[in-house]
């Protein structure tokens, strides 16, 4: 028996398996709503997000900006990342820094997510600006199969860094974009492809890493690429998640909106 939503969550997560059930004893309706929202998140984690394939149409260096590194309280596996976008309507799958580099050690808890203005996906179909993230906030972690889970933010670092604008087009002809730090360690996830499929790709910085995706049973399903933004080429396929464009305090609403 629990007397608060936070205590109930601990019971449901105990030893990574949790109890078969929990009784919440409280007179506070806020505690009931908080626990209900958490249970909704658990159910959502069992469902896959739909990911679309978009083709890179433009990569431009745009100058300096304040970018956000998100350090999570969870380790991310190869192929996992956060959904980030310039607009709420389309979020690109940004890989964690789990990949080894000649410059830094692997940091599988970190996502170099983008500038302060960008949206990131959160549980319960909500979004947040990267500038709003802080210790204790929950964000969505997704892999190339669309499997999702929530993770707690441990720390956020905001620093001024050079930025690159990546634009990509989906099959319906719509263009979507993301701004990211222009660095080898920042990678976007897309379908696995042969090296010859993208023109003029150079090998000097090992621009992509092939990632084997697995389902919850551990069986191998498919492959994806984590491609460094410093080596992105026109025609490179990338994964993104499409959703409602109109947002108010991170919650999807129905209204006409134009963003560009």
């Amino acid at each position: 028996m629990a007397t608060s939503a936070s205590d109930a969550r601990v019971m449901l997560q105990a030893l990574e398996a949790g109890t078969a059930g929990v009784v919440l004893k409280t007179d506070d309706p806020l505690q009931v709503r908080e626990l209900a929202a958490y249970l909704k998140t658990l159910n959502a984690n069992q469902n896959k997000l739909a990911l679309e394939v978009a083709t890179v149409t433009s990569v431009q260096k745009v100058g300096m900006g304040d970018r956000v590194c998100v350090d999570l309280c969870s380790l991310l596996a190869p192929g996992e990342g956060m959904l980030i976008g310039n607009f709420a309507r389309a979020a690109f799958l940004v890989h964690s820094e789990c990949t080894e580099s000649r410059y830094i050690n692997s940091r599988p808890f970190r996502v170099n997510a983008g500038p302060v203005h960008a949206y990131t996906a959160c549980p319960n179909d909500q979004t947040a600006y990267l500038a709003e993230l802080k210790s204790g906030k929950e964000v969505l972690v997704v892999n190339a199969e669309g499997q999702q889970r929530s993770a707690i933010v441990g720390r956020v670092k905001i620093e001024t860094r050079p930025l690159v604008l990546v634009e990509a087009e989906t099959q319906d002809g719509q263009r979507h974009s993301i701004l990211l730090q222009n660095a080898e360690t920042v990678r976007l996830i897309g379908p696995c492809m042969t090296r010859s499929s993208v023109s003029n790709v150079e090998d000097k910085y090992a621009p992509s890493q092939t990632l084997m995706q697995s389902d919850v049973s551990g069986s191998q399903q498919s492959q994806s690429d984590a491609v460094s933004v410093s080596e992105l080429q026109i025609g490179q396929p990338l994964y993104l998640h499409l959703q409602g464009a109109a947002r108010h305090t991170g919650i999807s609403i129905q209204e006409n909106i134009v963003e560009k």
Side-chain angles (χ1 to χ4, degrees):
M1 181 177 294
T3 57
S4 69
S6 58
D7 287 345
R9 288 184 59 167
V10 170
M11 294 177 184
L12 292 169
Q13 296 171 340
L15 299 178
E16 299 185 17
T19 59
V22 63
V23 175
L24 178 61
K25 184 179 180 180
T26 180
D27 295 326
D28 186 353
L30 291 178
Q31 296 296 319
V32 176
R33 285 195 286 269
E34 182 179 336
L35 181 57
Y38 170 68
L39 294 175
K40 181 180 178 181
T41 299
L42 286 183
N43 292 331
N45 289 350
Q46 298 173 6
N47 300 320
K48 290 185 177 182
L49 282 179
L51 296 178
E52 307 288 335
V53 176
T55 302
V56 174
T57 58
S58 174
V59 182
Q60 303 176 53
K61 297 177 182 178
V62 294
M64 307 294 287
D66 294 331
R67 74 92 176 93
V68 181
C69 268
V70 183
D71 291 349
L72 301 172
C73 297
S74 302
L75 296 176
L76 274 61
E80 285 189 313
M82 292 171 57
L83 290 169
I84 311 292
N86 282 340
F87 310 102
R89 63 176 179 265
F92 292 72
L93 190 49
V94 181
H95 198 242
S96 76
E97 291 190 358
C98 65
T99 304
E100 290 287 348
S101 162
R102 72 178 69 176
Y103 302 110
I104 62 170
N105 295 325
S106 171
R107 295 188 176 96
F109 55 84
R110 173 171 295 170
V111 177
N112 189 330
V116 289
H117 78 283
Y119 284 102
T120 186
C122 298
N124 298 319
D125 192 33
Q126 296 190 20
T127 58
Y129 295 118
L130 290 180
E132 295 175 337
L133 298 183
K134 59 183 180 180
S135 299
K137 177 74 173 180
E138 284 189 273
V139 296
L140 210 59
V141 171
V142 181
N143 70 10
E145 292 293 306
Q147 294 171 330
Q148 57 179 308
R149 62 187 175 99
S150 61
I152 298 172
V153 175
R155 173 180 55 245
V156 168
K157 294 198 311 176
I158 302 176
E159 299 162 306
T160 302
R161 293 291 186 267
L163 301 178
V164 60
L165 173 64
V166 178
E167 295 181 316
E169 186 176 299
T170 45
Q171 291 184 347
D172 59 4
Q174 295 295 312
R175 290 202 171 193
H176 310 283
S177 65
I178 183 173
L179 281 156
L180 292 164
Q181 180 181 344
N182 188 16
E184 178 207 353
T185 54
V186 182
R187 296 171 180 267
L188 289 166
I189 301 175
C192 187
M193 60 188 300
T194 62
R195 305 290 301 178
S196 60
S197 299
V198 180
S199 62
N200 302 320
V201 174
E202 300 177 2
D203 288 322
K204 62 179 180 178
Y205 291 126
S208 69
Q209 178 190 31
T210 299
L211 310 163
M212 181 64 72
Q213 301 297 320
S214 299
D215 63 13
V216 292
S217 65
S219 62
Q220 292 181 337
Q221 297 295 303
S222 63
Q223 290 183 332
S224 60
D225 273 346
V227 187
S228 170
V229 296
S230 64
E231 296 293 331
L232 269 180
Q233 301 292 322
I234 305 302
Q236 178 78 42
L238 299 174
Y239 286 128
L240 55 80
H241 174 61
L242 301 179
Q243 57 189 0
R247 296 270 161 172
H248 179 65
T249 64
I251 300 172
S252 180
I253 60 174
Q254 296 295 322
E255 73 171 2
N256 293 324
I257 184 170
V258 177
E259 293 180 305
K260 58 183 180 179

